[in-house]
Amino acid sequence: MPAALRPFLGHEVAAAVAAGNATIFGDVAPPFVRFVRAFAAHPLEDDDQAAALLAELCTDPQVAGSADLTRAFTGYVDSMRLRRLGPAAAHRRAARILVANVSIGAEEQRVADPFVRAAIPGRWITAVLATSHLGLRLPEGVLELSRDVPRPAYLHGAPFPPDLMVLDDPDAIALAARFGQDLDSADRSDAPDWESYDERMGYIFTLLRAHQCDPSLFDLPPGTPQA
């Protein structure tokens, strides 16, 4: 093992990841709990009701203080509202779900940033060397973070699900531009320096777009106890 890689593959990485995950849960979980409770107690019947519940949620200082969280919960509410319109709104609904998921990811990665830097100390050359040995395990295999997001197996050659092949939602377009992503392909989605927030989020944006409808991600991991 190269000496330069030892700090990235031992206890230090595990400790930084664990601390980062705990901090993320502490940041994102409370508003999510309030969101789920609010909308479970008041099933949506009209747009005014949805707007009122969303406005109440966004008065929470934690949500109000984060443009990403505000955009995320707005996207989730929009997706629930559009579900009432059936297949005719499938394209718009898929885009709003993508916006919400990416926005949550942006908030999570903002919170995680110091922990990522602790797990991958150094800048550029050292971080690139470490990233080249990192991967993301999905049911279809391990994705290399230093390479563009590959075309998912479940789409049989297409880069994105049909409803996300064309992005015309203004928020989705803005997020793609913010993180340097191509609207028409997975080109430039690689994150050779995982320590970089923008590179991480570029990869995450395209990963979420590509796998939003992946049925394998809705299954419980092997060995998970059944309820």
Side-chain angles (χ1 to χ4, degrees), residues 27-154:
D27 181 78
V28 175
F32 254 112
V33 169
R34 290 190 288 273
F35 172 78
V36 171
R37 286 177 175 170
F39 284 91
H42 302 88
L44 298 185
E45 296 179 358
D46 57 58
D47 291 347
D48 289 341
Q49 183 186 37
L53 288 172
L54 176 63
E56 182 177 356
L57 177 69
C58 289
T59 61
D60 179 84
Q62 187 175 5
V63 178
S66 169
D68 288 319
L69 282 180
T70 300
R71 188 187 315 104
F73 289 118
T74 300
Y76 288 132
V77 172
D78 288 343
S79 73
M80 291 189 291
R81 178 179 57 81
L82 289 166
R83 184 170 54 189
R84 301 200 310 265
L85 303 181
H91 171 71
R92 293 164 57 202
R93 182 168 181 258
R96 297 310 293 161
I97 292 173
L98 176 65
V99 166
N101 289 341
V102 172
S103 297
I104 286 292
E107 170 70 10
E108 291 179 346
Q109 291 304 312
R110 180 191 65 77
V111 173
D113 204 47
F115 298 96
V116 174
R117 293 179 182 277
I120 308 179
R123 263 319 280 175
W124 201 72
I125 293 178
T126 309
V128 168
L129 182 61
T131 302
S132 68
H133 289 73
L134 297 177
L136 177 65
R137 185 175 298 279
L138 296 181
E140 69 180 57
V142 177
L143 308 186
E144 296 179 56
L145 303 180
S146 59
R147 297 179 179 270
D148 289 336
V149 175
R151 298 187 176 210
Y154 83 101

